[in-house]
Amino acid sequence: METVTIPWAMWYTPDRFDLTFPDSWEITVAAMKGGPDIGDAGIRRALAEPIGAPPLREMARGRRDAVILVDDISRPTPASRLLPYILEELAAGGIAEEKVVVIAATGTHRPFGRQEWVKKIGLELTERLDIRSHNPTENLDYLGLSSLRIPVWVNRDFVRAELKIGLGIIMPRGRSYGGGSKIVLPGVCGRTTISANHNFCPSARFVDHTQEVGRMAGLDFIVNPLLNPDLGVMALVAGEPIQAFERGCALGGDLYGTVVPEGMDIAVCNAWPKDNDAHQISLARVPLFGTRKQALKPGGTVVTVSASPEGAGYHLVMGPGTFFRSRTGRQVGAALTGGAVKEVQARNILFCPGVNAAEVRLLYGDQYLFCKTWPQVLAALQERYGASARVVVFPYGALQNAAE
């Protein structure tokens, strides 16, 4: 058997997982372009020469306090590595650590407990800092209506701080990128705002609407890394939220770029590093949604892989029984990637050992042939393709963007 080793269970284990295939099959591993870690010097340079804004230490001067938003563990952002640099900049500008609040921008995901804080920012900072988890139903200020007539409710602690910073990540989502002002919407908005945005914001307005809400809330500065397959910081954008985000997207188009082969029988897409739970499995297929190429032959098979150590996961707005689920139905997987509502025209197999069949049906109906083990997946594939198949593996699909 031929073996392809993939990363596995972000935040939960350093172990990797072996995918095995018959020796007679043709296997292609599609890797991103990537880049080396920029190191301490690169991080300091990005903060010293921000995009469209003064350095943080200058922005901090004369301000009473600061709030730093960090995204939750559904993102692989290395906050434990980057947060000390931000704190150093604030201290140089006169805002002591005692005047800094760090908020987990969880949106309508589950709140942070101690375990999540330690994973995200490390034990030392967890013990040292004023840390708070966002509550999407309470402790909110109303800021008015957006241009889409969506009521904007935002975390009160964030709104009332004098300097507002977002520590997120630039990640591909098919035809767009995450990061930037998304740390505010949905990160620290109220449930009403998040639900209205997810359900009624046209896809063509999604990015600019999050930026509009970010401006309404007063987001001053972002720090967003781009990560290589080893989770090293291969680039870092910092500065004015919209301009820095645009620069990050341009870098992402190059560094996350993955050459997608054509005419394959099978595409295996790993959701790592967004493989915590089954809510996010569609992001494994971002390279397929973002390409103009015909990656699969007609009738080809997509195998979506997610460790899902947290099981089915929790989402207050997108979970089972919500309006979002009833509206999108089985097409929710495509909707989450920002792609066309119609799924890729291929057979769908889901390999997700962290959930059971009932949970998959609850989330996705009969969209997938669910397999609990890799031997089950392999048996289904061999039954269909026999001794000959062309396979492409995207080993970290949620970090990969189609090069064309």
Side-chain angles (χ1 to χ4, degrees):
M1 301 288 274
E2 185 169 350
T3 300
V4 176
T5 301
I6 59 173
W8 194 248
M10 177 72 197
W11 300 111
Y12 283 87
T13 178
D15 296 341
R16 297 167 73 84
F17 189 88
D18 289 339
L19 305 176
T20 55
F21 302 94
D23 289 326
S24 59
W25 287 12
E26 178 187 330
I27 312 298
T28 299
V29 178
M32 71 160 77
K33 176 182 176 181
D37 191 288
I38 62 175
D40 174 76
I43 294 171
R44 292 188 181 280
R45 187 179 307 113
L47 290 171
E49 302 171 359
I51 300 162
L56 260 181
R57 60 181 60 199
E58 293 182 19
M59 297 182 71
R61 291 191 183 114
R63 306 219 194 187
R64 179 189 69 244
D65 57 14
V67 164
I68 304 169
L69 305 180
V70 297
D71 52 17
D72 72 2
I73 60 170
S74 68
R75 272 85 175 157
T77 312
S80 60
R81 179 180 180 187
L82 296 174
L83 197 51
Y85 291 94
I86 299 173
L87 294 171
E88 181 182 309
E89 285 290 303
L90 294 176
I95 299 180
E97 197 172 278
E98 295 75 24
K99 296 294 184 179
V100 177
V101 172
V102 180
I103 299 176
T106 52
T108 48
H109 297 175
R110 62 181 174 83
F112 264 29
R114 182 176 174 83
Q115 180 183 21
E116 286 75 32
W117 280 114
V118 172
K119 288 178 186 295
K120 195 70 179 188
I121 67 172
L123 178 60
E124 181 184 351
L125 292 178
T126 297
E127 294 283 6
R128 212 169 80 201
L129 298 177
D130 183 344
I131 52 176
R132 308 174 188 182
S133 191
H134 173 59
N135 182 345
T137 62
E138 297 286 348
N139 192 37
L140 305 167
D141 276 351
Y142 178 63
L143 303 184
L145 297 175
S146 74
S147 61
L148 293 178
R149 309 298 294 170
I150 288 176
V152 177
W153 292 87
V154 181
N155 183 286
R156 180 175 296 130
D157 297 327
F158 177 71
V159 169
R160 298 186 182 184
E162 290 199 354
L163 182 57
K164 304 175 181 69
I165 303 158
L167 173 53
I169 184 172
I170 303 291
M171 288 189 72
R173 294 182 69 87
R175 293 177 177 86
S176 64
Y177 286 86
S181 299
K182 281 196 70 191
I183 198 76
V184 174
L185 175 61
V188 287
C189 282
R191 182 189 182 281
T192 298
T193 306
I194 297 169
S195 180
N197 185 67
H198 280 315
N199 284 295
F200 302 115
C201 179
S203 58
R205 292 280 322 271
F206 191 80
V207 171
D208 74 83
H209 190 249
T210 62
Q211 292 173 341
E212 176 188 348
V213 172
R215 286 193 300 270
M216 292 175 68
L219 179 64
D220 294 301
F221 197 95
I222 64 167
V223 178
N224 281 193
L226 290 81
L227 302 184
N228 64 27
D230 297 319
L231 300 180
V233 177
M234 60 181 177
L236 182 69
V237 293
E240 192 280 323
I242 296 176
Q243 294 181 53
F245 175 71
E246 289 175 350
R247 176 60 178 153
C249 293
L251 288 169
D254 177 41
L255 296 174
Y256 289 134
T258 303
V259 176
V260 177
E262 295 188 275
M264 310 304 286
D265 296 299
I266 302 163
V268 180
C269 305
N270 185 18
W272 188 93
K274 289 179 69 67
D275 65 341
N276 285 350
D277 63 57
H279 268 281
Q280 304 185 83
I281 59 175
S282 62
L283 294 172
R285 304 190 294 272
V286 165
L288 297 181
F289 286 110
T291 184
R292 294 172 294 179
K293 292 183 176 180
Q294 189 67 38
L296 287 170
K297 294 178 180 177
T301 300
V302 177
V303 180
T304 301
V305 176
S306 176
S308 294
E310 295 178 6
Y314 174 83
H315 202 298
L316 193 61
V317 165
M318 293 183 180
T322 60
F323 175 69
F324 181 86
R325 286 281 166 176
S326 65
R327 181 178 62 84
T328 56
R330 297 177 189 176
Q331 298 168 339
V332 67
L336 286 174
T337 65
V341 174
K342 191 175 184 181
E343 277 281 11
V344 173
Q345 292 299 299
R347 183 177 177 181
N348 287 306
I349 295 177
L350 175 61
F351 169 47
C352 190
V355 298
N356 64 35
E359 290 173 305
V360 174
R361 285 194 300 271
L362 188 61
L363 286 173
Y364 301 110
D366 58 359
Q367 178 178 325
Y368 294 101
L369 170 63
F370 171 61
C371 295
K372 186 81 171 177
T373 69
W374 184 252
Q376 290 175 322
V377 175
L378 200 56
L381 294 175
Q382 287 181 296
E383 181 180 358
R384 185 174 187 193
Y385 294 101
S388 178
R390 299 183 69 217
V391 182
V392 59
V393 178
F394 297 98
Y396 30 85
L399 267 186
Q400 299 183 254
N401 217 21
E404 58 180 337

